[in-house]
Amino acid sequence: MKILLIGTGRAAFHLGHGIRRSHHDLVGIAGRNMERARVLATDLNTEPVQLNEAFPDADLLLIAVSDDAIADVALHIPLGDAVVAHTSGAGDLDKLLPHPDRGVLWPLISLSPGEPMDLAQVPMVIDGNSERARITLKELATALSTRVSELDHGQRELVHAAAAISLNLPTYLLARSQKLLKDQGIDPDILVPAFAAMARRVEAIGALEALTGPARRGDVGTIHHHLDRLTEDPELRAAYARLSSMILRAHGHPDDGLTDL
Ligand SMILES: NC(=O)c1ccc[n+]([C@@H]2O[C@H](COP(=O)([O-])OP(=O)(O)OC[C@H]3O[C@@H](n4cnc5c(N)ncnc54)[C@H](OP(=O)(O)O)[C@@H]3O)[C@@H](O)[C@H]2O)c1
């Protein structure tokens, strides 16, 4: 399959390397910024393409640009035979109108700058408005990863929300907790090995089993001592009380009025 990747950012970088490692043919990198397109195309041993110029022949145009730019980029791509897809978990397929065969290939992982990521175990969520779009995207997704799921827009929105809750919120709470330590002259990285180990335990035994701490045990006295140390940061204190209440109640313990704090 001939694939043209549109975009020069993080998703394009990692997906581009994934496509290069597969048996598919990456025919070019298209970008509005030709210099960035050239740098990524050189890295991927393919051709740079200016976004508003003629595209090389391709079976799939994969749009990996910022969510808010997808519809505009799609609108300016001349209608043709290629399947047109984006890589966003948040966007529906109508963003790709008026292309007849539309789809999504969403890698469910944080793609950050750095070395090309091994995508083999990364969940790839796909969808398409037509049989042809679905088959095309499944063919690419299965070449990139062993974990491919087909989910419609409503399901993708739920997965996107669940990912935001379960990935972004703990990471932010870590950053905020590290600041607490730093402000007191304590090495903030003292928390990081345990955070990383928790992610590995979740992978091994599941989130509910991996959960530890005073709220799970029902040690409300310890939670109150913690809350006393958080008076300088009322927002974090309120979040700690609310989340602890959720965990206490989920484990059959009384929450001792924590949500009223
Ligand atoms: N990064 C992730 O963790 C991740 C994971 C899964 C899916 N995705 C999805 O992948 C897509 C790209 O995200 P990203 O993280 O790669 O973003 P990014 O690193 O910020 O790159 C954004 C890309 O979009 C281009 N762009 C922005 N506005 C544009 C416009 N009006 N016209 C043409 N090109 C425009 C940028 O071009 P310039 O360089 O010229 O500004 C750049 O190439 C998004 O839909 C995102 O939801 C991202």
Side-chain angles (χ1 to χ4, degrees):
M1 181 160 59
K2 289 183 186 165
I3 302 166
L4 178 75
L5 198 46
I6 302 171
T8 55
R10 296 152 196 223
F13 173 81
H14 291 284
L15 287 171
H17 276 280
I19 295 167
R20 283 288 300 160
R21 289 192 298 266
S22 78
H23 60 282
H24 295 298
D25 185 8
L26 184 62
V27 295
I29 295 291
R32 63 174 174 182
N33 180 319
M34 200 50 186
E35 190 43 42
R36 289 201 190 124
R38 197 169 287 123
V39 169
L40 185 54
T42 303
D43 191 23
L44 294 169
N45 198 19
T46 186
E47 295 301 315
V49 180
Q50 181 74 45
L51 196 50
N52 49 16
E53 287 178 1
F55 286 168
D57 185 38
D59 304 296
L60 172 64
L61 305 179
L62 191 58
I63 304 177
V65 303
S66 313
D67 292 352
D68 289 348
I70 294 169
D72 190 49
V73 167
L75 200 59
H76 287 90
I77 296 172
L79 287 181
D81 284 342
V83 170
V84 178
H86 66 68
T87 61
S88 167
D92 65 16
L93 303 185
D94 285 354
K95 282 191 170 195
L96 302 171
L97 284 168
H99 298 279
D101 292 300
R102 306 182 289 280
V104 56
L105 186 151
W106 171 37
L108 207 176
I109 195 122
S110 286
L111 299 168
S112 309
E115 289 300 302
M117 183 178 270
D118 178 5
L119 301 173
Q121 298 301 319
V122 172
M124 296 285 161
V125 176
I126 57 165
D127 189 18
N129 73 317
S130 66
E131 189 68 2
R132 183 164 168 255
R134 282 192 293 275
I135 288 171
T136 301
L137 289 161
K138 193 164 188 175
E139 202 180 323
L140 174 58
T142 48
L144 294 174
S145 168
T146 55
R147 304 181 71 166
V148 179
S149 315
E150 208 170 315
L151 300 179
D152 66 28
H153 179 56
Q155 294 171 317
R156 285 200 308 283
E157 274 191 330
L158 191 61
V159 174
H160 203 250
I165 292 168
S166 58
L167 306 175
N168 302 348
L169 302 191
T171 307
Y172 178 71
L173 289 174
L174 173 65
R176 191 91 174 225
S177 307
Q178 285 184 301
K179 183 175 180 312
L180 269 183
L181 301 191
K182 197 164 178 223
D183 289 349
Q184 296 299 319
I186 303 169
D187 175 12
D189 287 343
I190 198 169
L191 300 173
V192 173
F195 191 83
M198 179 56 84
R200 289 193 294 273
R201 271 209 303 281
V202 167
E203 196 169 35
I205 62 175
L208 273 182
E209 276 300 306
L211 186 69
T212 59
R216 182 188 175 127
R217 291 190 300 270
D219 285 338
V220 182
T222 304
I223 295 172
H224 278 289
H225 285 305
H226 291 166
L227 291 170
D228 290 345
R229 302 302 304 265
L230 293 174
T231 47
E232 305 269 292
D233 191 340
E235 259 188 347
L236 189 60
R237 187 173 186 270
Y240 182 67
R242 174 56 65 110
L243 290 169
S244 296
S245 165
M246 286 168 64
I247 299 170
L248 282 164
R249 286 182 285 111
H251 288 83
H253 308 298
D255 88 340
D256 203 25
L258 282 179
T259 41
D260 302 330
L261 291 175

